[in-house]
Amino acid sequence: MNTKLLHLLQVPLFFNTLMSCQPQQKEEKSLASTHPALEEQLQHDSIKTPVTSNENPDLYQRYRLSMEEATAKNNYSISDIYRGKLAAPDLSSQTDAQQVKEGLKAGVNFAGKYTIVTVACGEACQHHIVIDRESGKVLEKLQSRLGASYSANSRLLVLNPPDSTINYQDCRYCSPEAYVLKEDKLTKLASIPD
């Protein structure tokens, strides 16, 4: 009796194994093909990418060269990185305190003793909160559209860093801005020409 039961159980297992080894005939479908209304709309509407790397190369080149010139002419480097106990900042005035707390885990990431925490504030909008990690003082809260560039061993902070894929003529608030930290204050460098 045990042999009959064993044979009966082997038949379904053999069948499943045989079927799983067969090549699948299922056709890959795009999102549009599974949504007829979307497929029809895509056939009628052309999709235009608003920004290309060649759309405004002269303006990008001027921004890039201005930033390189600013960094080359001045020594913004920091050789001493703070390695002491990181002070907890007073975040009672911050509406996004939980996100700031998460960002503080990065440790010192700007100008030797500061942490810059970036928090989203909407579509194409970021707040960059500069916190002194030795004292816990919130120094500044700056806003950008395209992010920021900074490092632990430099006093230079660039909002909306130059990017060849950005159409600066169509984005009013995308122009790069450079700030330098001196004596616990961020000072905006002279404007970069349009």
Side-chain angles (χ1 to χ4, degrees):
M1 175 138 167
N2 285 338
T3 312
K4 283 185 180 180
L5 183 60
L6 185 59
H7 285 292
L8 287 174
L9 290 174
Q10 286 180 341
V11 171
L13 279 173
F14 176 73
F15 182 72
N16 281 343
T17 306
L18 183 64
M19 291 308 292
S20 66
C21 293
Q22 298 297 318
Q24 299 293 323
Q25 299 297 324
K26 189 175 181 180
E27 165 186 326
E28 289 289 323
K29 293 184 176 185
S30 68
L31 179 62
S33 67
T34 61
H35 295 79
L38 177 62
E39 185 173 32
E40 185 178 325
Q41 182 181 359
L42 288 173
Q43 288 174 355
H44 297 302
D45 296 342
S46 65
I47 299 172
K48 181 183 177 235
T49 305
V51 175
T52 67
S53 60
N54 296 325
E55 200 158 321
N56 58 353
D58 294 337
L59 188 57
Y60 162 71
Q61 192 66 7
R62 279 195 307 211
Y63 284 146
R64 188 183 65 79
L65 290 175
S66 296
M67 295 308 296
E68 286 177 4
E69 185 177 294
T71 56
K73 279 185 178 178
N74 298 294
N75 182 8
Y76 300 119
S77 65
I78 298 281
S79 57
D80 192 25
I81 306 293
Y82 177 70
R83 304 224 186 270
K85 183 177 179 186
L86 300 177
D90 175 17
L91 301 176
S92 59
S93 64
Q94 300 294 324
T95 57
D96 38 26
Q98 188 56 41
Q99 290 175 307
V100 174
K101 284 179 186 176
E102 282 297 312
L104 289 172
K105 293 177 183 176
V108 173
N109 62 9
F110 174 62
K113 68 172 190 167
Y114 301 88
T115 299
I116 295 181
V117 177
T118 301
V119 178
C121 54
E123 188 176 328
C125 177
Q126 298 91 37
H127 283 150
H128 308 282
I129 303 156
V130 183
I131 302 164
D132 183 328
R133 295 313 302 276
E134 196 171 7
S135 69
K137 180 181 174 187
V138 176
L139 236 58
E140 194 84 47
K141 186 175 187 176
L142 301 166
Q143 185 173 325
S144 74
R145 303 258 317 182
L146 304 171
S149 177
Y150 50 87
S151 72
N153 59 1
S154 175
R155 297 180 298 119
L156 185 67
L157 165 65
V158 180
L159 298 181
N160 304 318
D163 184 338
S164 65
T165 63
I166 302 303
N167 184 344
Y168 292 104
Q169 294 165 345
D170 288 347
C171 185
R172 263 181 69 195
Y173 303 104
C174 294
S175 298
E177 298 175 6
Y179 294 82
V180 66
L181 182 77
K182 188 174 183 182
E183 298 173 8
D184 285 341
K185 292 189 186 227
L186 281 171
T187 305
K188 189 174 181 178
L189 295 178
S191 297
I192 299 169
D194 291 332

